[in-house]
Amino acid sequence: MAETRDQVASPELTKPRHVVRKFQARPQHEGVGAVVRRSIGRFELKYFDPFLALDEFSVTAPAGFPDHPHRGFETVTYMLEVLILHKLYISLCVSLSLSKIKMYIRAVTHEDFEGHKGTIKAGDLQWMTAGRGIVHSEMPAGPGTSKGLQLWVNLSSANKMIEPRYQEIQGKDIASTSKNGIAVRVIAGRSMGLQSPVYTRTPTMYLDFTLKPSAHLRQPVPPAWNAFVYTLEGEGVFGVERSGPVGPHHLLLLGQGDGLEVWNKSAKPVRFVLIGGEPLGEPVAQLGPFVMNTEEEIDRTVDDFQYYTNGFEKAEHWRSEAMVGFQV
Ligand code: FJE
Ligand code: FE
């Protein structure tokens, strides 16, 4: 059987996408005492259809994101392993005292007003469809600093008021493979012959790549989709081989084409995520965590949240465990 373009490690591309805009994501304060590097969703780039926000977050207890609502979109929380920090931490412990080695769980605990609870650890994924309404808290689960990415994916007008849904995948169950110096974890969509089980209401791809030194990647991206790269570690050359390398914490918006080429010309691994989605082409009316199509719908949402109606019924008598004790 002939291999399809998705199955080979390096398929030929007809028109590779170029980087058309580059942003550095600087730290800013969000939630309660948390720090995020926001790339999409900030003033200069309010919306990259269908993506509303991308935050690289870093939270250390007691900071976090206590009880707050969402309506009209999806939040995708992907916890990152902090391998370098981790190694440093262990060697520090070894040099101090062998008996003092303690593995910190870097994780975020979430709980919502329907009683849905869980902990997302390094490498785990939570794809939450807020739909008509979720009220939840997202707090660090223990000592140490939890790091990850949170992406907000808009829903089409037909899907904004659907029942909330969670898709949770543990790190060990995320489809991953490596070949020719390229390692991929398939969060959504398909790559290198692997398909993610995540169902995306708004068609989305989300790939976590690590390229060893001298590796070269060619990854197809549907031509009609908007796509971007967010860099996490190391330095990579994106889009055009002669262009300068890009370090961590940068958002690279990609122009038109049928895929992306990346080269690692450095001496260390480079890690980045490639995210793409089918644009909705609909008007966006946003008030913080409420994202609808019109101002009228936003007004109705504010009423629903205030009067506990149309999906927010259970918010009336619910406080997260994280908040109990803080109530007056
Ligand atoms: C939110 C401010 C916020 N980025 N990254 C306003 F901070 C949030 C929010 C988050 C968030 C949560 C995690 Cl776990 C990771 C995040 C923003 O919760 F929803 C609003 N409205
Ligand atoms: Fe949230």
Side-chain angles (χ1 to χ4, degrees):
M1 207 178 82
E3 285 185 311
T4 71
R5 266 160 47 99
D6 286 327
Q7 283 170 319
V8 294
S10 258
E12 289 301 321
L13 302 175
T14 310
K15 186 174 185 283
R17 291 176 182 240
H18 292 182
V19 174
V20 292
R21 278 172 88 184
K22 179 173 140 186
F23 298 87
Q24 190 184 356
R26 293 202 183 79
Q28 64 183 64
H29 294 275
E30 273 297 345
V32 178
V35 173
V36 305
R37 290 175 185 269
R38 180 160 299 164
S39 42
I40 298 172
R42 65 188 204 188
F43 162 74
E44 304 95 305
L45 183 63
K46 264 324 270 177
Y47 189 48
F48 188 52
D49 195 1
F51 303 108
L52 294 153
L54 179 69
D55 283 355
E56 181 183 355
F57 63 87
S58 175
V59 280
T60 311
F65 305 92
D67 307 12
H68 61 277
H70 293 280
R71 174 182 275 182
F73 62 100
E74 305 183 292
T75 67
V76 180
T77 309
Y78 179 44
M79 300 299 296
L80 299 170
E81 296 113 320
V82 270
L83 291 172
I84 298 156
L85 274 177
H86 194 85
K87 268 190 209 149
L88 257 174
Y89 176 74
I90 289 178
S91 54
L92 202 73
C93 287
V94 172
S95 64
L96 282 172
S97 146
L98 267 171
S99 65
K100 280 197 184 145
I101 295 181
K102 200 164 133 195
M103 294 279 274
Y104 281 161
I105 312 165
R106 294 199 170 81
V108 163
T109 287
H110 64 93
E111 47 174 309
D112 81 3
F113 68 157
E114 298 257 283
H116 184 94
K117 260 190 203 184
T119 298
I120 354 173
K121 303 182 301 305
D124 294 355
L125 172 75
Q126 182 195 64
W127 198 291
M128 184 190 89
T129 307
R132 64 209 296 251
I134 287 269
V135 180
H136 70 170
S137 75
E138 297 156 291
M139 304 297 285
T145 301
S146 304
K147 294 186 185 226
L149 293 176
Q150 190 171 91
L151 176 73
W152 290 12
V153 185
N154 204 1
L155 287 167
S156 69
S157 56
N159 285 321
K160 284 191 180 295
M161 293 298 280
I162 59 175
E163 284 298 307
R165 175 184 178 189
Y166 290 91
Q167 299 176 80
E168 276 156 336
I169 305 189
Q170 288 193 8
K172 65 176 171 49
D173 298 324
I174 290 178
S176 56
T177 188
S178 50
K179 199 174 178 180
N180 303 336
I182 302 165
V184 68
R185 304 184 83 227
V186 185
I187 308 302
R190 52 189 304 134
S191 178
M192 287 166 72
L194 298 178
Q195 167 91 51
S196 160
V198 169
Y199 176 64
T200 60
R201 298 232 163 226
T202 303
T204 306
M205 67 188 284
Y206 190 149
L207 306 172
D208 171 5
F209 283 110
T210 303
L211 270 59
K212 286 187 178 160
S214 81
H216 171 208
L217 166 76
R218 290 194 197 102
Q219 170 62 46
V221 176
W225 288 18
N226 281 334
F228 63 88
V229 163
Y230 186 78
T231 57
L232 294 169
E233 280 170 38
E235 289 194 337
V237 172
F238 297 86
V240 175
E241 190 169 6
R242 288 164 277 97
S243 61
V246 180
H249 316 302
H250 283 81
L251 180 83
L252 309 174
L253 296 190
L254 303 177
Q256 297 211 323
D258 64 347
L260 174 69
E261 283 195 87
V262 184
W263 296 263
N264 185 353
K265 295 179 182 272
S266 79
K268 290 185 182 149
V270 57
R271 186 180 182 191
F272 59 92
V273 292
L274 168 61
I275 296 175
E278 188 173 65
L280 299 170
E282 294 180 3
V284 175
Q286 177 168 7
L287 181 68
F290 303 136
V291 183
M292 303 302 286
N293 296 109
T294 66
E295 290 306 323
E296 239 187 342
E297 290 168 341
I298 288 291
D299 292 346
R300 249 179 279 148
T301 299
V302 171
D303 283 354
D304 284 341
F305 181 58
Q306 189 173 352
Y307 298 113
Y308 310 114
T309 50
N310 292 316
F312 289 114
E313 286 80 359
K314 294 200 172 128
E316 185 167 5
H317 301 292
W318 179 81
R319 296 290 175 275
S320 69
E321 277 167 27
M323 288 295 279
V324 174
F326 288 95
Q327 298 300 307
V328 281

